[in-house]
């Protein structure tokens, strides 16, 4: 019941270079220094064994325009279909890992597995972030800050996909001192 969660597309490849895309809603940051994240995956998923074999994967953030592909990659198995072909998503070479990134994604997070926790229905892949690619279309011209909200990120909420709503505050705004008018 901890919702909403990011709806991300994870890309994997086996040692022969066969790749697949699958949807994950259980993903999250777990450490800043060193940068680490986790994803939880069912062992029966087609991509599970690719990650176990190579120890690498890429978390590709999704956008509103990628909603159909995000759903498709979560309900179709790579055993049966070529998800790259069926979704029209574009594989590109990653900078560090031997797993393709999704060109259409605003952020690609390249990961190397450091530990797999077998928890029950899902196994948690704990990974070091070894590289991040971000689409410079979302860099603010004024500050140079990456504005992910401008990419219209997709979130998953209890069986549905949603876009984010309006911004209502920022970190620390509840304790900021009010500026005095002169």
């Amino acid at each position: 019941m901890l919702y909403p969660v990011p709806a991300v597309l994870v890309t994997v490849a086996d040692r022969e270079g066969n790749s697949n895309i699958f949807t994950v809603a259980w993903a999250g940051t777990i450490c800043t220094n060193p940068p680490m994240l986790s994803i939880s995956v069912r062992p029966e998923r087609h991509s599970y064994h690719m990650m176990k074999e190579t120890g690498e994967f890429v978390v590709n953030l999704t956008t509103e325009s990628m909603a159909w592909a995000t759903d498709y990659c979560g309900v179709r198995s790579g055993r049966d279909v070529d998800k790259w072909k069926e979704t029209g998503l574009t594989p590109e070479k990653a900078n560090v890992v031997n797993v393709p990134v999704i060109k259409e994604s605003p952020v690609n997070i390249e990961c190397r597995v450091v530990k797999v926790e077998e928890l029950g229905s899902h196994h948690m892949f704990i990974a070091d972030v070894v590289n991040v690619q971000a689409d410079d279309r979302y860099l603010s011209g004024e500050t140079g800050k990456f504005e992910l909200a401008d990419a219209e990120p997709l979130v998953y909420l209890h069986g549905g996909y949603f876009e984010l709503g309006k911004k209502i505050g920022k970190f620390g705004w509840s304790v900021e001192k009010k500026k005095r008018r002169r």
Side-chain angles (χ1 to χ4, degrees):
M1 298 312 289
L2 293 176
Y3 284 103
V5 293
V8 299
L9 289 172
V10 175
T11 48
V12 295
D14 62 20
R15 288 200 171 97
E16 288 76 45
N18 301 307
S19 64
N20 192 40
I21 314 166
F22 66 106
T23 305
V24 171
W26 293 350
T29 302
I30 58 171
C31 191
T32 301
N33 191 12
M36 297 178 77
L37 60 74
S38 70
I39 62 172
S40 292
V41 181
R42 290 180 182 272
E44 60 269 14
R45 295 287 296 257
H46 177 63
S47 297
Y48 177 91
H49 299 287
M50 292 180 180
M51 288 190 301
K52 286 280 281 193
E53 177 183 309
T54 66
E56 296 181 336
F57 62 90
V58 177
V59 172
N60 304 272
L61 301 189
T62 59
T63 63
E64 183 181 351
S65 66
M66 298 169 70
W68 184 89
T70 301
D71 184 63
Y72 186 88
C73 289
V75 297
R76 293 289 184 244
S77 174
R79 287 182 188 94
D80 305 323
V81 297
D82 178 345
K83 295 182 193 178
W84 295 104
K85 179 182 171 196
E86 296 300 320
T87 62
L89 294 172
T90 311
E92 286 194 334
K93 185 170 176 27
N95 289 328
V96 177
V97 298
N98 291 315
V99 173
V101 301
I102 298 173
K103 178 182 180 179
E104 293 79 8
S105 175
V107 178
N108 313 103
I109 306 169
E110 300 176 41
C111 300
R112 285 213 174 103
V113 176
V114 295
K115 185 177 185 182
V116 179
E117 283 289 331
E118 297 183 6
L119 302 172
S121 64
H122 288 70
H123 294 180
M124 180 186 294
F125 286 77
I126 299 170
D128 285 329
V129 172
V130 296
N131 189 59
V132 176
Q133 297 178 42
D135 189 330
D136 59 11
R137 288 183 293 173
Y138 304 108
L139 290 177
S140 169
E142 299 170 11
T143 64
K145 180 182 171 194
F146 186 71
E147 300 289 349
L148 183 58
D150 293 346
E152 299 176 328
L154 193 62
V155 296
Y156 184 77
L157 176 64
H158 220 275
Y161 299 97
F162 295 84
E163 59 186 309
L164 294 179
K166 67 179 182 171
K167 182 177 179 179
I168 60 169
K170 65 175 183 157
F171 181 77
W173 68 281
S174 65
V175 295
E176 283 182 343
K177 293 188 187 224
K178 304 275 187 216
K179 291 184 181 180
R180 299 181 102 185
R181 292 186 179 177
R182 291 185 181 211

